Amino acid sequence: QVPLVESGGGLVQAGGSLRLSCAASGSIFSINLMGWYRQAPGKQRERVATINNSGTTNYAASVKGRFTISRDNAKNTLYLQMNSLKPEDTAVYYCATMGVFGSVRSWGQGTQVTVSS
């Protein structure tokens, strides 16, 4: 329903940090649930983190303690702060808006994150 554009991906060494941004072309105030997904070649797309309008977050076990999802409704932007990056974090990262039961309603175009050893 709201076009999304990710940015901030790139190449980083293991142990480094990266901050991804997802800019919406319209207001996200009325979108309760948003999240980040990632997909590596040959692997299924997996949910990395979600956040609702109350600030409640959920994280995949593989990123807990390292990644932080946040949103700024005033700026219509979703963020993913990634710290202590590992080579296995290498993937295309997508932001998404979700409807009921966590179903994805829209995707961004994706941004590549590559973590070198």
Side-chain angles (χ1 to χ4, degrees), residues 4-85:
L4 306 169
V5 179
E6 301 96 332
S7 63
L11 177 64
V12 65
Q13 294 183 357
S17 298
L18 210 57
R19 190 192 194 196
L20 305 183
S21 298
C22 172
S25 296
S27 176
I28 62 171
F29 179 79
S30 62
I31 303 174
N32 182 51
L33 192 65
M34 300 187 71
W36 288 94
Y37 289 70
R38 67 185 182 187
Q39 186 168 28
K43 297 183 178 180
Q44 67 178 24
R45 188 172 297 188
E46 65 174 338
R47 185 179 298 165
V48 174
T50 61
I51 184 169
N52 68 13
N53 249 337
S54 297
T56 300
T57 58
N58 284 301
Y59 296 92
S62 59
V63 307
K64 284 183 178 178
R66 299 189 298 119
F67 291 11
T68 302
I69 186 172
S70 62
R71 62 192 288 172
D72 188 335
N73 287 356
K75 296 181 179 179
N76 297 323
T77 303
L78 179 73
Y79 302 98
L80 184 67
Q81 178 66 47
M82 304 183 293
N83 299 324
S84 301
L85 283 162

